Amino acid sequence: MAKVYSAKDLSVLEGLDAVRKRPGMYIGTTDSQGLMHCLWEILDNAVDEALAGACTRIVVTLHGDGSVEVADNGRGIPVDVEPKTGLTGVEVVLTKLHAGAKFGNSAYTAAGGLHGVGSSVVNALSSRLDVEVDRDGVTHHMAFHQGHPGTYEDGDSSEPSPESPFHRTRKNRPTPLDILGKVGRKTTGTRIRYWADPEIFNDTARFSYDQLIDRVRQTTFLVPGLTIVVVDETIPATGDDSIDEMSEVDTPSDPAGDAVVPEDDERDDGGERADGDDETIVDTGIPDHRRVETFQHTGGVRDFVDFLSSGEPVSDIWHISGNDTYREETQSVGANGELTAQEVTRECGVDIALRWTNGYDTTIRSFVNVVETPGGGMHVDGFLQAMARQVRKAVETNARRLKVNLKDSSIRVERDDILAGLVAVVTVRIAEPQFQGQTKDVLGTAPVRPIVASITDKQFGEMIFGSRRGYKDQSARVLDKIVGEMHARIQARRTKEVTRRKNALESASMPSKLSDCQPGNDDIAELFIVEGDSALGTAKAARNSQFQALLPIRGKILNVQKASVSQMLSNKECSAIIQVVGAGSGAGFDIGQARYHKIIMMTDADVDGAHIRILLLTLFYRYMRGLIEDGRVYAAVPPLHRIALSGKRKGEYLYTYSDDELAGRIADLRARHIDFNDDIQRYKGLGEMDADQLADTTMDPRTRMLRRIRMEDARQASSVFDLLMGDNVPPRKQFIIDNADDFDRSNIDT
């Protein structure tokens, strides 16, 4: 019988309680991703002040107690009383959902925070939040505990803590703003410091400094001239008077090369200019800690594309920009708070930069009002639609030079051909954009698409046809690359259709040195790439031939990071691996055609073996990346030592995988009075093991240990491969020097 259901079973969550009950609705998750999302909400509000032309400097401070502070020199949150609620603007912004200045057109014409929930959500999910606002010549202050306003009794005002006694303001009563002191008459700004609530975020939530730096860097690219400083106080002070400061700043200079300093420096960093004084003293407010990074860029999206580009450029950076208007029906907030429908005219600003490189990877970053849209949306759709249309027209116009047979129906430029090697940043600025959800992954404002398409059509068309001055040679190179990608794709498809075997594991056309497994086990089939012929002989006897295949390689394969595609394909080892895997390579890679469920690199446990694994990983990353993304690439972990037990346990063996583990195991055996032979075997290579030992330790799924190769961040992985395996030696040398102190012997094979 169903339980009685009545009105008393209904719960009404007031204020910010709903946020704490269902945080996933507002920040996605309560792990590291959600933790970072809270910071993005506060940072975006400061950046919105910069977009409004009211802010030039933002300082993000990571305090040693785990709190985060964002300070800006914008206009400051309003401190006067909002008539409808009777609360100050500060309390409204930080305690009321869907409250703010971004529902109309007066304070912000383009902003990232639009739903009026960002600051209040962060407040609700913080064990403590403090806000300071500089306005009207004084500094105003208010504190909150889990979203509720009140006052803290801190023992030391310089060290606030969420553990301090808290006195909550009575319900339905306004909270007065404290006055902390005076500031300059023209000084304005906001400082928000919050402590993420451990009751909300799970134990795995970790703050990512690298994500913060990436976000700050991209923001300064998108808001030219804005300075953002990141101060990390979690790193101990150096003990001397120096600051290890890293700057990424484009600073205008005078003819003598000295930095230009504005004559009237109005900033919120505490500096004051006294009338009649000859000397200006500026206190940055930044403590002497080791990690301080400053970012400022003046080149906008063009600098951003240059930063994202890797490999040899095929074209210069092409720039597309323009503005247009569209009509949109929206709900307007009336004087009495009621909503009425009205049609308004919106302005859409478009700013796009792009270039082609000689690779096949595609990098497209899209933004709306500096908020990244990883899922793209209407602005990206309009850009790609217009670009594809103009490229196809240009190919048809230049068909004779490009040797394209227009009569062949199979000859058609596809979007993937155009995107190969493309690096682009697509940005639009509009008022009140429509996002899919609070996390703003996809832009849904439909009128943006035709505007972006129209602007791209005209300007990109002039570039790709070479009619714009200086673009003729570049457009020819770009069209040659795109047509080359098209021919390669068509040829790869034809080759696959001709050579595709009836049975995916049939090995008649495979290299002679492949020892394939039996057909019919494609869902568990494993390919061992074995270093050396001696290890191959042992591995043949150790494997289970029903599902384990062996492919030997001789020594170190080609470093494909430095080689061209033709050099890679002409290399016997590389071409054999690609052929055996059976899924193609490059842009035509199709993981659905892969012949094996696992690819296992089985190399010696020494420096040479580690180098061979890195070379193999470079091949997989550059030409068969889908294997890594799908989690199919593994490294075998062979043991370094074998301990033969004696006495009552004679005939038993223990294996260890590092010198430290060996020492610990020996100490444990002695402590337990277990006898063993002092002659401990040290394996110099896989070939020194017999078949039973290799099977037990390295190949048998029941007893072996494998390391799965994962790629959490594609952009970071690409930069690491460029750094460690590329042609440019000085950055690699500097990397080794910079990280020498952090070297941990336990992290490598010995």
Side-chain angles (χ1 to χ4, degrees):
M1 181 176 177
K3 183 180 178 181
V4 176
Y5 176 51
S6 63
K8 68 179 182 180
D9 297 307
L10 303 177
S11 298
V12 179
L13 298 178
E14 298 181 355
L16 300 180
D17 292 340
V19 179
R20 294 183 61 82
K21 181 66 175 178
R22 296 286 187 268
M25 290 180 59
Y26 301 89
I27 61 171
T29 66
T30 55
D31 56 12
S32 301
Q33 179 183 345
L35 193 66
M36 298 304 295
H37 186 83
C38 288
L39 175 55
W40 304 153
E41 292 289 354
I42 302 300
L43 181 58
D44 284 348
N45 287 337
V47 174
D48 287 342
E49 283 291 288
L51 289 175
C55 172
T56 60
R57 179 179 173 88
I58 299 171
V59 178
V60 181
T61 304
L62 311 180
H63 290 284
D65 60 358
S67 63
V68 182
E69 182 176 357
V70 178
D72 67 71
N73 65 346
R75 293 167 291 187
I77 301 174
V79 295
D80 54 329
V81 174
E82 194 275 321
K84 184 178 178 182
T85 61
L87 306 176
T88 63
V90 173
E91 189 170 354
V92 169
V93 166
L94 288 165
T95 62
K96 302 297 182 183
L97 292 175
H98 309 292
K102 297 165 187 175
F103 296 107
N105 298 318
S106 57
Y108 298 93
T109 57
L114 297 165
H115 299 160
V117 301
S119 297
S120 54
V121 164
V122 176
N123 190 16
L125 303 180
S126 299
S127 57
R128 174 172 179 171
L129 184 145
D130 285 65
V131 57
E132 295 181 4
V133 179
D134 294 332
R135 285 185 73 137
D136 306 326
V138 296
T139 297
H140 307 265
H141 171 264
M142 188 177 290
F144 303 85
H145 172 70
Q146 296 180 343
H148 300 290
T151 57
Y152 280 94
E153 294 182 7
D154 292 313
D156 184 349
S157 60
S158 65
E159 296 183 2
S161 169
E163 304 300 326
S164 300
F166 178 75
H167 302 285
R168 179 176 171 178
T169 302
R170 290 180 61 185
K171 191 175 182 180
N172 299 324
R173 293 287 183 89
T175 304
L177 285 163
D178 298 327
I179 304 298
L180 298 185
K182 296 182 178 181
V183 294
R185 180 175 53 84
K186 295 183 179 180
T187 299
T188 58
T190 302
R191 292 174 294 281
I192 291 180
R193 181 176 180 181
Y194 68 93
W195 289 254
D197 195 342
E199 295 181 10
I200 298 295
F201 295 94
N202 59 42
D203 295 337
T204 65
R206 296 291 184 272
F207 191 87
S208 173
Y209 183 82
D210 291 338
Q211 284 188 35
L212 171 60
I213 292 302
D214 288 343
R215 180 74 168 235
V216 165
R217 178 184 286 112
Q218 79 179 24
T219 300
T220 54
F221 279 127
L222 298 171
V223 189
L226 173 64
T227 300
I228 302 183
V229 181
V230 178
V231 182
D232 187 358
E233 294 184 3
T234 63
I235 292 182
T238 59
D240 53 29
D241 295 331
S242 64
I243 299 178
D244 183 8
E245 180 167 336
M246 298 178 62
S247 297
E248 193 171 298
V249 181
D250 301 333
T251 305
S253 301
D254 63 12
D258 297 323
V260 176
V261 179
E263 293 183 1
D264 187 12
D265 189 9
E266 294 286 355
R267 289 166 55 178
D268 67 337
D269 52 16
E272 295 185 2
R273 182 185 297 274
D275 294 336
D277 288 350
D278 295 329
E279 182 181 7
T280 300
I281 300 175
V282 177
D283 177 11
T284 64
I286 299 175
D288 181 12
H289 284 267
R290 195 166 66 217
R291 184 154 58 179
V292 178
E293 300 193 52
T294 303
F295 297 86
Q296 183 195 73
H297 297 92
T298 57
V301 291
R302 283 173 288 198
D303 283 355
F304 202 173
V305 167
D306 188 50
F307 172 79
L308 294 173
S309 299
S310 61
E312 292 295 323
V314 175
S315 68
D316 294 338
I317 297 175
W318 297 1
H319 187 221
I320 299 170
S321 63
N323 295 272
D324 204 348
T325 60
Y326 61 95
R327 301 286 294 174
E328 182 179 50
E329 187 170 293
T330 184
Q331 296 291 319
S332 175
V333 182
N336 296 324
E338 76 281 359
L339 291 176
T340 58
Q342 66 172 3
E343 191 174 56
V344 297
T345 299
R346 305 286 199 195
E347 182 170 343
C348 175
V350 179
D351 198 15
I352 301 171
L354 66 151
R355 97 168 351 152
W356 275 269
T357 66
N358 63 349
Y360 66 86
D361 292 336
T362 303
T363 302
I364 297 180
R365 304 283 294 278
S366 62
F367 302 85
V368 178
N369 303 344
V370 309
V371 175
E372 186 167 11
T373 49
M378 294 299 171
H379 51 331
V380 177
D381 292 345
F383 165 66
L384 295 178
Q385 178 189 46
M387 186 171 64
R389 181 166 53 242
Q390 291 299 328
V391 166
R392 287 170 183 147
K393 288 181 181 179
V395 170
E396 292 176 3
T397 303
N398 297 273
R400 177 171 294 182
R401 183 187 70 81
L402 296 170
K403 299 180 180 179
V404 174
N405 182 8
L406 298 178
K407 296 181 180 179
D408 188 344
S409 60
S410 66
I411 303 296
R412 174 179 168 82
V413 174
E414 300 292 346
R415 180 173 289 185
D416 287 345
D417 306 328
I418 301 171
L419 296 181
L422 177 68
V423 181
V425 175
V426 180
T427 69
V428 293
R429 291 192 181 181
I430 56 177
E432 299 190 67
Q434 300 171 20
F435 291 106
Q436 294 184 9
Q438 168 64 11
T439 51
K440 309 181 183 80
D441 285 343
V442 180
L443 175 65
T445 305
V448 169
R449 178 172 178 165
I451 290 177
V452 176
S454 175
I455 293 173
T456 303
D457 253 330
K458 184 178 186 303
Q459 298 183 28
F460 178 77
E462 295 173 351
M463 298 170 185
I464 198 65
F465 275 91
S467 57
R468 183 177 292 190
R469 184 171 180 174
Y471 284 83
K472 186 174 182 179
D473 291 340
Q474 295 184 57
S475 64
R477 293 195 299 269
V478 170
L479 290 175
D480 286 338
K481 174 178 174 54
I482 292 172
V483 171
E485 294 289 344
M486 177 190 70
H487 286 311
R489 173 180 53 81
I490 293 172
Q491 183 60 39
R493 187 185 66 224
R494 289 173 177 171
T495 301
K496 185 179 294 184
E497 291 173 353
V498 171
T499 60
R500 183 176 293 165
R501 296 163 294 160
K502 294 181 181 179
N503 189 316
L505 291 177
E506 184 178 310
S507 57
S509 61
M510 292 292 103
S512 59
K513 59 182 180 180
L514 172 69
S515 299
D516 213 344
C517 54
Q518 297 178 11
N521 295 308
D522 51 321
D523 57 333
I524 60 171
E526 301 176 346
L527 173 66
F528 283 83
I529 301 177
V530 185
E531 173 193 352
D533 292 336
S534 60
L536 175 66
T538 307
K540 282 184 178 180
R543 70 167 177 154
N544 185 331
S545 61
Q546 289 186 346
F547 65 94
Q548 291 180 329
L550 304 174
L551 178 67
I553 57 173
R554 294 185 177 180
K556 298 175 182 178
I557 68 169
L558 179 71
N559 181 2
V560 299
Q561 186 75 18
K562 299 180 180 180
S564 65
V565 176
S566 60
Q567 289 174 322
M568 184 276 295
L569 292 175
S570 62
N571 181 268
K572 291 183 179 180
E573 306 292 345
C574 294
S575 61
I577 293 172
I578 292 174
Q579 183 182 8
V580 168
V581 172
S585 63
F589 180 82
D590 180 6
I591 196 167
Q593 300 298 321
R595 303 174 64 243
Y596 303 96
H597 186 68
K598 288 186 175 71
I599 311 295
I600 303 171
M601 301 172 292
M602 192 163 68
T603 61
D604 292 343
D606 56 15
V607 174
D608 286 336
H611 191 192
I612 292 172
R613 286 199 303 274
I614 292 298
L615 292 170
L616 288 170
L617 284 175
T618 307
L619 173 66
F620 292 134
Y621 178 79
R622 288 302 173 197
Y623 292 100
M624 293 176 282
R625 186 176 303 178
L627 292 174
I628 299 178
E629 293 174 339
D630 201 45
R632 296 198 187 190
V633 180
Y634 298 80
V637 186
L640 283 175
H641 317 92
R642 187 186 72 161
I643 305 173
L645 303 184
S646 57
K648 295 181 180 180
R649 301 181 61 177
K650 185 176 181 180
E652 295 183 29
Y653 301 94
L654 300 177
Y655 298 94
T656 60
Y657 296 83
S658 68
D659 291 337
D660 291 341
E661 184 184 359
L662 173 64
R665 183 59 64 90
I666 290 176
D668 179 64
L669 291 174
R670 288 173 175 166
R672 296 164 58 190
H673 304 291
I674 298 176
D675 297 328
F676 61 92
N677 294 337
D678 293 333
D679 185 14
I680 297 173
Q681 184 173 1
R682 171 65 158 86
Y683 295 116
K684 296 180 180 179
L686 297 170
E688 292 189 359
M689 298 185 191
D690 60 34
D692 290 338
Q693 294 170 359
L694 185 61
D696 290 342
T697 63
T698 314
M699 299 189 70
D700 190 334
R702 296 170 297 181
T703 56
R704 73 190 180 191
M705 179 167 58
L706 298 178
R707 291 176 181 164
R708 174 178 282 176
I709 309 301
R710 291 191 173 274
M711 183 175 63
E712 302 296 341
D713 189 324
R715 292 194 297 272
Q716 184 179 6
S718 181
S719 64
V720 169
F721 274 106
D722 286 336
L723 173 67
L724 300 181
M725 305 299 290
D727 286 319
N728 202 355
V729 176
R732 181 158 57 248
K733 181 178 179 181
Q734 188 62 44
F735 172 84
I736 296 172
I737 295 173
D738 293 342
N739 292 277
D741 292 339
D742 297 329
F743 173 75
D744 185 352
R745 188 179 183 87
S746 64
N747 287 336
I748 67 167
D749 296 323
T750 56

